[in-house]
């Protein structure tokens, strides 16, 4: 059986969500375990990494400049902007050195016991370029090592990644849980790449795309692995102890700006409420984590309500947040949801103009319903966020 290392480096963690538990990596470890393989998770999106990438000296130098610029009523002073530019250059050079140092640490770590494969979860920006640099260092140190890639960047950009780098033996653009065990078999000589659905690879310089299988039935997901011996970043205060719950994937809507259907399909799939309650209860009992967030881009209101009923029947004292969609949110559900622990909900509003909402955004909802929904959630004591596109 194969042993794999799963690595995630999102770059400097610009938002708090970068520091939450990575359900994708935990799901992959669970999928490997279900097939008899083993995995070790190196989640570099931690408080320690944040401190490494943004040194205290730079932070202390920036603070007074930011305060000065915030108090300016006219154009920003040229000397202040010059100082900011110099600090930016200093920070970029520092982060480049730190990313190379992290790569060296990964090489040293693998020298003791080289795994059968390494899988990188690709993010955007410096997370992408940093991950590619680390993958190159590993390939140089261990030429026979199989290095795969997946994650958001792989789903969005697919074969275009090979125009930037050829370091990855295969890129998974489908759902990783359906593919990871087959990649493990490839790493140990038991499967050919052209037999693995939902991946992209190079064959003598030519990029080959293998069609993906049907999207996963979420009821069939293996239990994610959050044990500290597999996922050591969970120890201490390196991560925000918020569990990300895979309740739905896919989106049936056709909003004019959104890429979610490209990534997870345009057919909404949901996990049964009883299984979701099992997931929540297991995390509470095994790891003491009582805070979670639904991972779906627009969790159906009826599903949230059904989960709330499960939580109430089991008397689970938890708190959670969710994305929502105005087309499925039922104002009559919010009291029940708040009672079950819903503390915050995030809606995509995009615009306050009905004509733009209909013709450009194609949201399929009217402003009257939006107002009613927001007011009902607020009256139930739920913190409501709406995003706008300007």
């Amino acid at each position: 059986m194969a042993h794999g290392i799963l690595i995630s480096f999102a770059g400097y963690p610009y938002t708090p969500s970068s520091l939450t538990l990575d359900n994708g990596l935990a799901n992959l470890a669970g999928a490997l375990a279900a097939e008899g393989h083993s995995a070790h998770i190196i989640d570099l999106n931690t408080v320690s990494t944040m401190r490494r990438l943004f040194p205290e000296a730079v932070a202390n130098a920036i603070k007074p400049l930011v305060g000065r610029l915030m108090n300016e009523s006219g154009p920003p002073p040229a000397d202040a902007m010059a100082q900011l530019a110099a600090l930016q250059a200093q920070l970029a050079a520092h982060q480049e050195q730190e990313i190379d140092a992290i790569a060296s640490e990964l090489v040293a770590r693998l020298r003791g016991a080289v795994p059968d494969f390494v899988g990188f979860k690709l993010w955007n920006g410096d997370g992408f370029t940093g991950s590619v640099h680390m993958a190159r260092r590993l390939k140089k140190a261990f030429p026979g090592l199989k290095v795969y890639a997946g994650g958001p960047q792989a789903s969005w950009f697919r074969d275009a990644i090979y125009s930037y780098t050829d370091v990855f033996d295969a890129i998974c653009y489908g759902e990783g849980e359906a593919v990871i065990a087959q990649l493990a078999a490839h790493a140990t000589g038991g499967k050919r790449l052209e037999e693995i659905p939902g991946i992209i690879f190079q064959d003598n310089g030519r990029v080959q795309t293998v069609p993906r299988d049907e999207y996963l039935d979420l009821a069939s997901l293996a239990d994610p692995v959050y044990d500290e011996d597999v996922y050591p970043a969970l120890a201490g205060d390196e991560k925000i102890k918020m569990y990300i719950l895979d309740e739905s994937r896919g989106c049936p809507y056709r909003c004019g700006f959104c890429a979610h259907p490209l990534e997870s399909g345009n057919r909404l799939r949901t996990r049964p409420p009883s299984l979701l309650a099992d997931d929540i209860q297991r995390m509470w009992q095994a790891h003491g984590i009582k805070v979670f967030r639904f991972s779906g881009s627009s969790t159906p209101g009826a599903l949230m309500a059904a989960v709330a009923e499960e939580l109430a029947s089991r008397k689970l004292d938890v708190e959670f947040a969710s994305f929502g969609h105005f087309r499925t949110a039922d104002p009559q559900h919010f009291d029940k949801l708040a009672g079950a622990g819903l503390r915050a909900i995030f809606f995509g509003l995009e615009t306050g103009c009905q004509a733009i909402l209909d013709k450009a955004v194609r949201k399929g909802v009217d402003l009257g319903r939006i107002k009613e929904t927001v007011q009902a959630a607020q009256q139930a004591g739920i913190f409501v966020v709406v995003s706008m596109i300007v």
Side-chain angles (χ1 to χ4, degrees):
M1 289 299 169
H3 177 67
I5 302 290
L6 306 176
I7 301 174
S8 176
F9 175 70
Y12 182 79
Y14 295 101
T15 69
S17 63
S18 300
L19 297 173
T20 56
L21 308 186
D22 195 311
N23 58 308
L25 297 180
N27 284 347
L28 294 180
L32 285 168
E35 297 295 328
H37 306 292
S38 62
H40 187 78
I41 295 171
I42 301 178
D43 186 346
L44 295 167
N45 308 314
T46 63
V47 172
S48 292
T49 301
M50 182 169 62
R51 288 177 174 150
R52 288 183 69 168
L53 294 179
F54 207 112
E56 189 173 355
V58 174
N60 289 337
I62 285 177
K63 287 175 184 176
L65 280 174
V66 171
R68 180 182 169 191
L69 291 169
M70 292 291 288
N71 291 325
E72 288 287 340
S73 57
D79 65 318
M81 295 304 294
Q83 291 178 62
L84 278 178
L87 286 169
Q88 172 63 34
Q90 177 184 338
L91 182 61
H94 170 84
Q95 292 183 347
E96 186 176 336
Q97 292 174 356
E98 284 299 322
I99 289 171
D100 190 56
I102 292 170
S104 296
E105 292 161 13
L106 288 174
V107 169
R109 189 169 183 170
L110 266 60
R111 285 201 188 281
V114 180
D116 296 295
F117 69 93
V118 171
F120 279 90
K121 183 174 183 177
L122 298 183
W123 301 89
N124 62 353
D126 55 344
F128 174 75
T129 55
S131 296
V132 169
H133 179 73
M134 295 173 196
R136 285 172 175 158
R137 289 286 309 275
L138 290 177
K139 272 288 194 181
K140 183 177 180 180
F142 312 103
L145 177 66
K146 298 300 182 186
V147 179
Y148 307 122
Q153 198 81 342
S155 298
W156 298 336
F157 291 95
R158 304 189 182 190
D159 58 336
I161 293 172
Y162 278 128
S163 67
Y164 179 83
T165 179
D166 61 357
V167 71
F168 299 116
D169 293 281
I171 297 168
C172 171
Y173 69 91
E175 290 174 292
E177 299 93 343
V179 173
I180 189 67
Q182 298 184 67
L183 289 173
H186 169 257
T188 50
K191 208 171 188 71
R192 295 181 300 157
L193 287 175
E194 53 267 33
E195 299 173 327
I196 303 175
I199 68 164
I200 301 164
F201 65 96
Q202 292 193 104
D203 182 14
N204 293 321
R206 295 182 59 191
V207 177
Q208 305 288 335
T209 299
V210 185
R212 69 198 307 171
D213 278 341
E214 289 293 315
Y215 288 101
L216 283 172
D217 175 1
L218 296 190
S220 68
L221 285 177
D223 291 343
V225 178
Y226 287 99
D227 300 333
E228 289 182 8
D229 58 335
V230 174
Y231 195 159
L234 266 67
D237 296 323
E238 291 290 341
K239 303 287 289 184
I240 296 172
K241 301 304 192 293
M242 175 185 281
Y243 172 44
I244 311 301
L245 191 63
D246 284 276
E247 92 300 340
S248 66
R249 292 181 187 174
C251 185
Y253 306 116
R254 297 289 191 274
C255 298
F257 59 91
C258 187
H260 276 293
L262 174 67
E263 181 179 358
S264 56
N266 53 22
R267 180 174 64 85
L268 179 67
R269 295 163 288 141
T270 61
R271 187 163 166 82
S274 60
L275 293 182
L276 291 169
D278 290 345
D279 297 336
I280 294 164
Q281 192 165 2
R282 183 172 56 251
M283 286 298 290
W284 185 2
Q285 293 173 342
H287 306 287
I289 297 174
K290 300 170 62 176
V291 180
F292 68 92
R293 176 175 66 78
F294 289 125
S295 68
S297 62
S298 53
T299 305
L303 179 61
M304 273 194 269
V307 173
E309 291 174 359
E310 285 280 349
L311 297 177
S313 69
R314 303 184 191 201
K315 296 181 170 56
L316 294 179
D317 179 21
V318 297
E319 295 181 300
F320 64 101
S322 181
F323 294 99
H325 198 291
F326 285 117
R327 289 177 67 171
T328 66
D330 186 341
Q332 297 183 19
H333 286 159
F334 287 126
D335 285 333
K336 178 194 299 183
L337 291 169
L342 179 63
R343 297 292 176 259
I345 190 165
F346 182 104
F347 291 108
L349 171 55
E350 326 316 346
T351 176
C353 172
Q354 188 68 55
I356 296 176
L357 201 62
D358 294 340
K359 296 178 181 179
V361 179
R362 304 197 299 274
K363 200 76 175 180
V365 66
D366 67 85
L367 291 173
R369 177 177 173 83
I370 288 170
K371 184 175 181 180
E372 177 190 3
T373 302
V374 171
Q375 287 178 335
Q378 290 175 327
Q379 288 167 3
I382 299 167
F383 187 84
V384 181
V385 179
V386 296
S387 70
M388 306 289 281
I389 298 175
V390 179

